[in-house]
Amino acid sequence: MNTKKTVLILLLSALVVAALLSPFASSSPDGLERVAEDQGFLDKGDEQVLSSPIPDYLFPGIQNEKAATSAAGVIGTMLTFGAVYVLGRIVTVRKAKAETKLQSTSK
Amino acid sequence: MHIPDGFLDAKTWVATTVVGAGALSYSLKKVREEFNERLIPVMGVLAAFIFAAQMINFPIAGGTSGHLLGATLATVLLGPWCSGLIISTVLIIQCLFFNDGGLTALGANILNMAFIGSLVAYGVYKLVSGKSRFEQAAIFLAAWSSVIAAALVATVELALSGTVPFHVALAAMLSWHFLIGIGEGLITVVVVSYVRGVGLKPTWQQKKA
């Protein structure tokens, strides 16, 4: 099986997980939140420095919470794929340039 | 395990930001050295998969949940530095777009989950996986250890910040993450075999061998 097909299958799997499973995730506090709650320092985390466009994985403007989570999941998954893809391109372009430079100086 | 703003004091978040940024730039250098252009979409898709999987909080016990870290998943498939880079990207996106993990704690989160997670996973995996019949046990143990290690470092950072005394937080953090680590191990074993099953080969291992 070629890499392209593999990547496509995995991207689709990621989107399925983000779109269809994320609305059913547990809403209980995670390990750190739970410890913060039990030890009484959870309220220290209330002061946030940055406001995010999609806070708490709920896409704004969608009334249905499950649909809002699903939309946030799909957007985040695509965004992550895109970010790493662009980062990888930048790294390779730089590497290619560096190699060309090296070849031309060695002549 | 994403630390929000306010849990770390100024000296701790500044220090972890510096170390986190250093680890990130070193990983960029390492990945660039070993770069294979064909790996770009593979890196992208693994990052996307880890983002999606991190949204699926699974219940563990007593009204607490855990979610995948993914450091072992990425490390077993692409090596620790590439994994560090991928998980960092996931954490940056979670912080900037979804308010998951504070901006001041981003360096600490990158350090704990992306780099400590991946390097510990790599060490344990290398140590145990010598014989092929231990492969799945190695993946499970690496995944469990990566979660415990990240939780331990987070506890140190919270204690250094004066947020909670070390001895008070230690037992609580380790006991919850002991269970979360089991979830991490099981998911990682299943996903690694799925990813290999659809045809992805661990290129970095072939090259080294």
Side-chain angles (χ1 to χ4, degrees), chain A residues 100-107:
Chain A
T100 329
K101 208 175 164 187
L102 202 70
Q103 279 169 358
S104 58
T105 47
S106 65
K107 270 174 197 166

Side-chain angles (χ1 to χ4, degrees), chain B residues 81-95:
Chain B
W81 295 110
C82 195
S83 168
L85 194 60
I86 288 175
I87 311 283
S88 298
T89 312
V90 170
L91 291 168
I92 290 167
I93 287 174
Q94 288 172 331
C95 170

Side-chain angles (χ1 to χ4, degrees), chain A residues 41 43-49, chain B residues 3-9 13 102 104-105 158 161 163:
Chain A
F41 63 91
D43 57 337
K44 282 198 170 194
D46 286 344
E47 33 156 325
Q48 81 198 33
V49 170
Chain B
I3 303 173
D5 289 315
F7 277 18
L8 302 178
D9 68 353
W13 74 251
T104 55
L158 292 172
S161 300
T163 303

Side-chain angles (χ1 to χ4, degrees), chain B residues 52-180:
Chain B
Q54 283 205 358
M55 283 185 78
I56 318 300
N57 282 56
F58 50 85
I60 46 167
T64 304
S65 73
H67 64 71
L68 193 76
L69 205 165
T72 309
L73 176 61
T75 297
V76 169
L77 295 166
L78 294 171
W81 295 110
C82 195
S83 168
L85 194 60
I86 288 175
I87 311 283
S88 298
T89 312
V90 170
L91 291 168
I92 290 167
I93 287 174
Q94 288 172 331
C95 170
L96 295 181
F97 292 90
F98 299 95
N99 212 3
D100 195 7
L103 187 62
T104 55
L106 184 58
N109 285 326
I110 284 178
L111 181 65
N112 305 349
M113 290 189 267
F115 290 104
I116 304 283
S118 299
L119 292 172
V120 167
Y122 180 71
V124 173
Y125 179 71
K126 278 276 152 186
L127 211 66
V128 186
S129 72
K131 297 182 179 82
S132 62
R133 65 197 158 103
F134 292 136
E135 167 80 1
Q136 298 209 325
I139 294 172
F140 181 88
L141 275 177
W144 183 83
S145 312
S146 72
V147 171
I148 294 293
L152 195 62
V153 181
T155 312
V156 171
E157 290 158 358
L158 292 172
L160 284 176
S161 300
T163 303
V164 59
F166 183 73
H167 66 277
V168 173
L170 184 67
M173 279 295 276
L174 289 191
S175 57
W176 291 119
H177 288 92
F178 182 97
L179 297 173
I180 294 170

Side-chain angles (χ1 to χ4, degrees), chain A residues 1 6 11 13-14 25-26 28-31 34 39 41 44-45 47-49 52 54 56-57 81 89 91 95, chain B residues 1 5-7 32-33 37 44-45 51-52 55-57 62-65 94 97-100 163 168 194 198:
Chain A
M1 203 182 290
T6 305
L11 188 59
S13 314
S26 163
S28 298
D30 74 6
R34 179 57 192 267
Q39 307 302 334
F41 63 91
K44 282 198 170 194
E47 33 156 325
Q48 81 198 33
V49 170
S52 313
I54 313 175
D56 304 317
Y57 301 94
F81 179 79
R89 283 279 166 221
V91 169
K95 191 182 178 182
Chain B
M1 201 192 295
D5 289 315
F7 277 18
R32 210 166 122 190
E33 278 168 15
E37 210 172 326
V45 84
F51 175 90
M55 283 185 78
I56 318 300
N57 282 56
T64 304
S65 73
Q94 288 172 331
F97 292 90
F98 299 95
N99 212 3
D100 195 7
T163 303
V168 173
Y194 173 71
V198 296

Side-chain angles (χ1 to χ4, degrees), chain A residues 24-42:
Chain A
F24 301 99
S26 163
S27 54
S28 298
D30 74 6
L32 176 62
E33 273 179 285
R34 179 57 192 267
V35 173
E37 210 175 287
D38 290 350
Q39 307 302 334
F41 63 91
L42 189 62

Side-chain angles (χ1 to χ4, degrees), chain A residues 13-28:
Chain A
S13 314
L15 287 170
V16 166
V17 169
L20 302 181
L21 293 183
S22 70
F24 301 99
S26 163
S27 54
S28 298

